Amino acid sequence: MAIIDTLTLDVADTEAAARFYSAAFGLGADRLRLRAAAEPSTGFRGFTLALTVARPADVDSLLASAVAAGASVLKPAAKSLWGYGAVVQAPDGAIWKLATSAKKDTGPATRRIEEFVLLIGVADFAATKKFYVGQGLAVAKSFGRVYAEFESAGGPVKLALYRRKALAKDLGVDPEGSGCHRLTVHGDGAGAAGYTDLDGFRWAAAAA
């Protein structure tokens, strides 16, 4: 099965972005890489990066450190039918979702990230799901034509699909947007030449 080994975000200032992600979430180049680039991009970029944690205390801790490092809150931490979570936007413009399926704390915050998920908002759910299956990703969960999650196959990043408008609504942003996604996905299933998916997301060979 194809494995996603890391993601690259295009940012205006790589040093500032690296400081933010280290302070906010404890993320380094093993899972998140940064590239200096400024291709035109307006509005919603069509994806979110989700950090799944064990309990609400972890969500609150990551939210507090993200805000202290310069993030903007799009959705404050709150309970929902599926658990507890919050949404923030990094200074570089990337949107991050912090979430847990638990609604009660069973211990103090550890800030341990259980899953790192790239959630893409797609225009044609069925076609995009079929496309990724053809690229060697195996479906782990699927709920009709709404949501699909692929096996990470032991890789550090998991891929999931959601309809674009539904994802934007969940994040609390307008679904409109154009230009570059400012994101590159690196994995061993992309081949040496890489490819671009149906929604314009770029895939490249596994990072060195």
Side-chain angles (χ1 to χ4, degrees), residues 128-155:
T128 303
K129 179 181 173 183
K130 181 178 180 181
F131 173 85
Y132 277 117
V133 169
Q135 297 300 324
L137 281 81
V139 177
K141 298 177 183 178
S142 185
F143 300 97
R145 292 174 176 263
V146 178
Y147 176 84
E149 187 176 289
F150 297 92
E151 295 283 357
S152 63

Side-chain angles (χ1 to χ4, degrees), residues 109-189:
T110 65
R111 294 179 61 86
R112 177 177 172 270
I113 297 170
E114 297 190 334
E115 286 188 328
F116 183 15
V117 183
L118 167 60
L119 182 53
I120 294 176
V122 302
D124 187 329
F125 182 86
T128 303
K129 179 181 173 183
K130 181 178 180 181
F131 173 85
Y132 277 117
V133 169
Q135 297 300 324
L137 281 81
V139 177
K141 298 177 183 178
S142 185
F143 300 97
R145 292 174 176 263
V146 178
Y147 176 84
E149 187 176 289
F150 297 92
E151 295 283 357
S152 63
V157 184
K158 179 180 287 187
L159 175 67
L161 307 178
Y162 205 15
R163 290 181 298 181
R164 182 184 175 100
K165 289 185 177 180
L167 177 58
K169 182 178 180 180
D170 182 57
L171 299 175
V173 299
D174 189 298
E176 297 303 317
S178 63
C180 179
H181 295 297
R182 294 189 179 176
L183 172 75
T184 302
V185 184
H186 298 274
D188 64 356

Side-chain angles (χ1 to χ4, degrees), residues 4-15 17-19 21-22 27-37 45 47 49 92 94 96 116 156-157 182-187 202 204-208:
I4 300 174
D5 73 336
T6 190
L7 303 174
T8 295
L9 286 176
D10 292 350
V11 300
D13 186 331
T14 56
E15 291 185 3
R19 288 194 298 270
Y21 287 117
S22 176
L27 291 174
D30 57 327
R31 284 187 281 190
L32 184 67
R33 298 190 175 202
L34 304 166
R35 182 179 67 171
R45 297 180 190 172
F47 73 93
L49 300 170
D92 62 77
W96 292 76
F116 183 15
V157 184
R182 294 189 179 176
L183 172 75
T184 302
V185 184
H186 298 274
R202 297 177 297 197

